[in-house]
Amino acid sequence: MVAIIRTDKAEEKYLGGLWRETPDGHKPRWNTAQPHEHWQGRHITLIITGDTSGNPQVTWLARASKTRGHADDLKRRIEVVAPYRLAKPIPWNSLIDAVPRRSQPYLARNGALPDGVGKHVVDALTRLASDAASHLNRLRTESGGIPVETRSDEILQQTRDATLSAVRMTGFDPDHITSWSLSEDSSRSFIERLQQRDGPSHEDDMITHDAQRFRDWLGPEDWLSRSAFTGFSEGEQRLVIYNANRKAAEETLGVDLIYFHETRNSFVLVQYKRMSRQGNSEWKFYPNGDGNLQDQLERMRAIDAECAKLSQGSDDYRLNAQPSWLKLCHADSILPDARTLTPGMYLTREHFDQIYTKANLPGQVRAFSRKTVERYFDNTEFTELVAGGWIGSSGYGSSGVQKQLEASLAGSREVVFAAVTGTPPSKSQRVRSLREGSTKKTS
């Protein structure tokens, strides 16, 4: 979607000094207030200067989205990032003349434009400013996502997905994390981006207590310097989520989600693997092209074997009591709607091993895809099974989880560690909560 922001003289002066690259190439955010009516979601945004002096022109292109909270009764808060100053600003009247007549009346508004009008505006910009096309391509995204262009983007994509997965596996409302900062600082973890926008969710004394208790599992101090946490509570449950790594994102081998449900004494490990595709072909994962896979599978086999030793007949029943899973996920974009998990396939480590062995037989297809992998769990199935206690280890104590945290960090993988305490809701309570949430969002 495309939106318009008109600035006054004070804002123009402010932006002129603010939006300059720092020595490391990062640009800061700009928070502004805009009318409620036409702001939903995330937008390619045209920033118009000179409006108050009678000489309006498109000076900046950027990305903008609403944030939580209201500026006042009539306006909402908007965050603007990724600015690009056109080499030669486009006179506003020239842009109006370059779009079809039926679209012109919409250009008088501040805020988001109808999709068809936005397309006409982007086409006109591309014709009028030769340097606009490359930045518009950077801002334009598939299905409204942010393009994954660097290794840091890949890690952010996976940690965002792991964080949302933890929220959904606990049965919490995903609205807890729907607002997150679009900061261009690639060193910021996903949890830091949540904190940057809304502030750390540490107000609950019990959450702070849990966070410190689980923090003690994580040391040593060099790890803690690269960690961030947030926490949420619903009913009798509390969820603490840590996001950390020993290394910079570009040196990180991937992401592990480690989910520990203390009341159920259950442990789930999800290791992320990226699928790729050429053009419009199907998404594929090539296991033989992943030089780290064998060592990681060995580690997961050891975890599964250890959990099997510790299980007892009196433990909660599981459909599958092995904790280790792999998620083969699409790698094209970070979806802006944090209620939406990245598409992909969940496979138990044991199932993955079986398919991998078969794939290496003569005459077999080497790549994993939805055509070659006949059975897998999707996002909804997987998170609901974890939430219901149907999968995950049983009888795997906290010392074992600590051991796995240490192994993941030592293996140069970024860790999203989620720990939930308190009595989980029954299935009927979860279903009722989901229905009420759906009704609330459509009313």
Side-chain angles (χ1 to χ4, degrees), residues 316-345:
D316 286 345
Y317 176 75
R318 302 281 191 265
L319 292 174
N320 186 301
Q322 294 186 341
S324 300
W325 293 74
L326 295 95
K327 182 177 182 181
L328 311 183
C329 53
H330 296 187
D332 57 340
S333 66
I334 301 171
L335 300 175
D337 175 7
R339 298 182 62 85
T340 305
L341 289 165
T342 303
M345 303 189 295

Side-chain angles (χ1 to χ4, degrees), residues 201-215 229 231 238 240 242:
S201 303
H202 305 166
E203 294 83 359
D204 189 317
D205 289 341
M206 294 301 293
I207 288 175
T208 303
H209 174 267
D210 287 350
Q212 182 56 52
R213 182 162 64 95
F214 292 120
R215 175 189 173 107
F229 85 90
R238 301 184 300 276
V240 176
Y242 279 91

Side-chain angles (χ1 to χ4, degrees), residues 268-316:
V268 175
L269 165 67
V270 180
Q271 187 162 124
Y272 282 78
K273 291 294 182 182
R274 300 179 72 245
M275 304 174 80
S276 60
R277 66 175 177 179
Q278 298 293 325
N280 293 321
S281 64
E282 61 182 337
W283 290 97
K284 297 178 180 179
F285 172 67
Y286 296 89
N288 291 333
D290 187 332
N292 302 305
L293 179 61
Q294 290 299 331
D295 288 343
Q296 292 161 358
L297 287 174
E298 283 296 326
R299 176 167 62 95
M300 297 175 87
R301 292 184 192 112
I303 295 166
D304 290 347
E306 183 68 18
C307 288
K309 290 179 186 177
L310 296 172
S311 65
Q312 300 179 10
S314 59
D315 292 336
D316 286 345

